[in-house]
Structures are given as C-alpha cells and as structure tokens.
Amino acid sequence: MKLFTGLVFCSLALGVSGLSWFSFVGEAALGAWDMLRAYSDMREANYIGADKYFHARGNYDAAQRGPGGVWIAEKLSNARENSQRVTDLFKYGDSGHGLEDSRADQIANEHGRSGKDPNDFRPAGLPDKY
C-alpha cells in the first residue's frame, strides 16, 4: 500500500501522464548527465563570457531527451540559481549582488530548455571542442 501511495504521489508531483515511468526516469537520468557534462565543460573551458552558453547548452541537451530531461533540467537549474542566491546572501549580504546574473542565467536556461539554439549565447573565440 505504501508503495502504491508513493507511486501515485510521485506521478502527480512529477506530472507523468501517459508516459512509462522507466522512460521518464531514464530521460531524467540522461538529462542530469547532460547538465553535468555542460557544467564540466564550462569548468574545463574556463572561458570568460561563456557561462550563458553552457547554461543554454546543458538545458538544451537535457530537454532533447524528452519530458524527463526537461523536468530535471528545470529542477537542477532552479536549484543551482536558488542555492547561489543563498550563498550570495552570506557573502555579500542583501546587496542584490549577482541577481542580474542569476536572471540572465535563467533566461539562458529557458532558452535551451525550449529547444532554441544554445549557440545564440556562444561567445566569439570559444574553442570548437565545446
């Protein structure tokens, strides 16, 4: 009974309808991997001005996996930006430091999740490897 109740609750919370649980979870797992790969590439590239490109690319790649990928991309993006706001409060107080950057990151996240080309945010000179 507990398992059934848990599954019903999760399906409502996740918004899974007419979609196999296994495919949704698989899409979410692969989408999380896409987000991690974009983050890893961003750290490796260490290229000034490329932050928004990697935000858009990670969300785009995850969203291409399907509804599970879109779901996990949104959850991870929101968690990242919200956690950054909390750490900014400890670092800088309630100065609004980073608020504009966080909003710009969310615009890039949504751009990628909606299926738009992440290269719209690609800075000139970023190596082709990325």
Side-chain angles (χ1 to χ4, degrees), residues 7-19 21 24 67-68 71 75:
L7 288 174
V8 169
F9 175 77
C10 287
S11 72
L12 292 173
L14 298 176
V16 179
S17 60
L19 180 65
W21 266 99
F24 185 87
W71 179 81
K75 299 306 176 204

Side-chain angles (χ1 to χ4, degrees), residues 14-128:
L14 298 176
V16 179
S17 60
L19 180 65
S20 153
W21 266 99
F22 293 114
S23 68
F24 185 87
V25 171
E27 291 165 0
L30 292 171
W33 182 255
D34 292 331
M35 298 283 288
L36 179 62
R37 189 181 57 226
Y39 178 75
S40 175
D41 286 349
M42 179 179 70
R43 302 280 299 189
E44 178 185 308
N46 195 27
Y47 195 86
I48 294 173
D51 178 48
K52 306 304 177 261
Y53 164 72
F54 287 108
H55 276 270
R57 196 194 85 189
N59 277 270
Y60 176 85
D61 291 346
Q64 295 306 300
R65 302 286 184 178
V70 171
W71 179 81
I72 197 69
E74 181 180 11
K75 299 306 176 204
L76 290 175
S77 295
N78 289 341
R80 168 71 177 119
E81 294 307 319
N82 290 335
S83 69
Q84 190 171 1
R85 285 296 298 143
V86 170
T87 58
D88 283 351
L89 284 174
F90 288 117
K91 254 184 178 174
Y92 306 105
D94 196 16
S95 66
H97 177 85
L99 186 58
E100 294 81 19
D101 187 55
S102 183
R103 286 183 182 144
D105 287 349
Q106 289 289 40
I107 289 169
N109 293 336
E110 179 56 36
H111 182 88
R113 263 195 315 273
S114 68
K116 296 178 183 167
D117 188 2
N119 287 312
D120 293 345
F121 290 93
R122 186 182 189 86
L126 182 66
D128 291 340

